Amino acid sequence: MIHLADIRLGLVSVAHGKASKLPDFTALKSQLAKATPSFTSSAAYQVTNTVAQACPPTGADWGASSNLPPIANAELCECMVSSLSCVADSTLSGNDTATLFSTVCGLDKSACAGITANATTGTYGAYSMCNGIQKLSFAMDQYYQHQKKASTACNFGGGAKVQSGSSSNSCKSLVSQAGTAGTGTVTSAPTGTGSSSSSSGSSSASKSASGAVVVPRFDMGLLQLSLYVLVAGLTGAGMIML
C-alpha cells in the first residue's frame, strides 16, 4: 500500500495535504511567462492546410523496404514450438536468451533464417514475429536437426532440452506453409484460438539477437493505472492550490 502522507512530484511536493513548490515549478513558470499566444474566435477561424502531407521520396536516406513483415500469428508460433524436438528453457532471462541467440546463430547462420527480420531488404522469416523464447527454440531445433540430433546438440549449457514434438492437423498445415527452414510464406489468417505469443519469454524480447524485430509492450494493470490517475490528480490539485 502506498502512503500518501508525503508524495514528491515533478512540480510540487504534497505532504499531509499541503503542496509546496519544487524547483521545476519555478522553471516551468518562467518558460510559460515567455509565451505570447494570440487568440482567434472560432467564427473567424479558417482552415488553410487541407492537403495531406506527401510522403518523402525514396532514396539513399530511405532505408526501409516496402515489404511488410508477416502478420502476428500466435497460433503459428505455438504450433511451431509444439512440433520441435529441441526447445529453449522457458525460464531463461533476457541476457541468457540474447547470449544463446548469438551462440546458435554464430554456430549455424542458416539455423536462424526462419526468425530473422531485415526491414531494409524486406526479408522476414515466417517466425520473425514470434516471441524471444519461441524464436530461440526454433533456432536451437534447426541446429539440432543440422547436427543429425547429436546428443550434445540440444543442451547449450542447460538452456535447451529435448522433447517429443507433435502437431495437430491444423498445426501441420501452418507449419508446412512456413517450411522446414521457416522461410516460407504463411497465407492462413490467424484464427484467434492460440494464446498470446508474448505470454512466455516476453521478458527476453528486450534483448534478442539474430536481427529479430522487437515490438515494445505497454502493460499496465488495474492497480498501476489507478495509482497513475491518483498521482496525476494530486499534481493538478497541487498546481491549483498554488
Side-chain angles (χ1 to χ4, degrees), residues 136-204:
L136 181 58
S137 294
F138 178 79
M140 286 177 166
D141 185 76
Q142 286 284 290
Y143 178 78
Y144 184 56
Q145 301 297 334
H146 295 170
Q147 296 299 312
K148 303 185 184 302
K149 296 186 177 181
S151 57
T152 58
C154 184
N155 184 279
F156 295 98
K161 62 181 179 180
V162 176
Q163 71 172 14
S164 298
S166 62
S167 297
S168 63
N169 290 333
S170 59
C171 279
K172 288 179 180 178
S173 174
L174 288 172
V175 174
S176 176
Q177 292 178 51
T180 304
T183 54
T185 302
V186 179
T187 57
S188 298
T191 63
T193 58
S195 61
S196 172
S197 63
S198 60
S199 59
S200 64
S202 58
S203 62
S204 64

Side-chain angles (χ1 to χ4, degrees), residues 68-86:
L68 297 177
I71 297 174
N73 190 333
E75 184 180 5
L76 170 63
C77 297
E78 293 167 358
C79 286
M80 175 268 287
V81 173
S82 67
S83 69
L84 304 178
S85 299
C86 178

Side-chain angles (χ1 to χ4, degrees), residues 99-157:
T99 299
L100 288 171
F101 266 126
S102 298
T103 300
V104 179
C105 298
L107 290 172
D108 186 353
K109 184 177 181 180
S110 63
C112 297
I115 61 172
T116 55
N118 190 321
T120 301
T121 63
T123 304
Y124 302 94
Y127 303 119
S128 60
M129 45 59 194
C130 298
N131 70 41
I133 292 296
Q134 291 169 335
K135 289 187 286 189
L136 181 58
S137 294
F138 178 79
M140 286 177 166
D141 185 76
Q142 286 284 290
Y143 178 78
Y144 184 56
Q145 301 297 334
H146 295 170
Q147 296 299 312
K148 303 185 184 302
K149 296 186 177 181
S151 57
T152 58
C154 184
N155 184 279
F156 295 98

